[in-house]
Amino acid sequence: VHPSLSMSQSPVPTFSDPASPWVLVLLPVYNGQRFLTQQVESILNQSGVSTHLLCRDDGSGDGSPGLLHELRLRWPERITVVEDDLGNLGASGNFSCLMRQALDLEPNGLGRANYIALSDQDDVWHHDKLLIGLKAIQSLEHARPGAPALVHSDLRVIEEDGREIAPSMARYQGLRPDL
């Protein structure tokens, strides 16, 4: 087993719940071995929604490609890894590649995703992040049927060990999200 492949505190479900709304989560990876397992587990453990991960390694020099392979073997019904010979595309190029792939992906007979979430490899998500976002976007869809909708969230800034640096990234950077 890969040294960064730890067992989570709570077991991650092997299969998504077909009765729950599902969200496709795009996870580009580049030299993220230290953070990857914890983030994948936080995504797969989301409450009230089913998740499927679509990942692509961007030419990492650490153990990220091997770890992605092990994670896919551990949760084959929940993780798809894009394997290509495109090399390093950079962060935006990697996200773009994943978005193109997401248009056609229909994992496990769930059909195409109605909702797509973007994730960084070094995040750790609260268990209800996607459910809160899903409720917000569904509210927008209800208010303006047929109109495109986008939801984003603030985040807490933390150290590698999980200690909080700032409760709000927006305020930490001097932004005014209320304007």
Side-chain angles (χ1 to χ4, degrees):
V1 174
H2 199 281
S4 295
L5 191 60
S6 66
M7 296 303 287
S8 66
Q9 301 280 3
S10 58
V12 173
T14 307
F15 297 95
S16 292
D17 177 6
S20 297
W22 80 277
V23 178
L24 180 62
V25 180
L26 308 185
L27 178 61
V29 175
Y30 182 73
N31 290 337
Q33 176 182 357
R34 292 182 312 183
F35 310 106
L36 200 51
T37 300
Q38 188 175 13
Q39 173 57 341
V40 165
E41 289 178 349
S42 78
I43 292 168
L44 296 181
N45 272 321
Q46 290 294 297
S47 300
V49 298
S50 293
T51 55
H52 188 90
L53 270 162
L54 179 61
C55 309
R56 179 184 176 276
D57 183 76
D58 202 30
S60 295
D62 66 358
S64 293
L67 181 54
L68 270 179
H69 175 73
E70 289 190 35
L71 292 166
R72 181 182 57 199
L73 291 176
R74 189 167 166 190
W75 296 295
E77 302 295 324
R78 312 258 336 256
I79 299 174
T80 299
V81 178
V82 174
E83 296 184 16
D84 58 39
D85 58 359
L86 298 176
N88 184 285
L89 303 175
S92 64
N94 203 0
F95 266 121
S96 293
C97 182
L98 287 170
M99 286 184 190
R100 283 189 301 275
Q101 295 283 330
L103 294 175
D104 296 320
L105 186 68
E106 296 187 28
N108 311 316
L110 293 171
R112 286 193 316 191
N114 288 326
Y115 303 101
I116 296 174
L118 307 181
S119 172
D120 290 330
Q121 66 192 10
D122 61 347
D123 292 349
V124 178
W125 287 3
H126 290 276
H127 70 94
D128 57 353
K129 173 185 174 61
L130 288 178
L131 184 59
I132 291 168
L134 187 62
K135 286 179 180 179
I137 205 162
Q138 288 173 335
S139 175
L140 290 171
E141 291 171 336
H142 180 72
R144 299 196 54 203
L150 173 71
V151 171
H152 67 90
S153 63
D154 198 356
L155 57 99
R156 289 183 314 122
V157 182
I158 61 172
E159 294 280 359
E160 284 185 35
D161 64 6
R163 286 181 294 119
E164 186 176 282
I165 296 171
S168 165
M169 175 69 129
R171 287 191 298 270
Y172 183 69
Q173 292 187 328
L175 302 174
R176 297 277 317 271
D178 56 325
L179 296 179

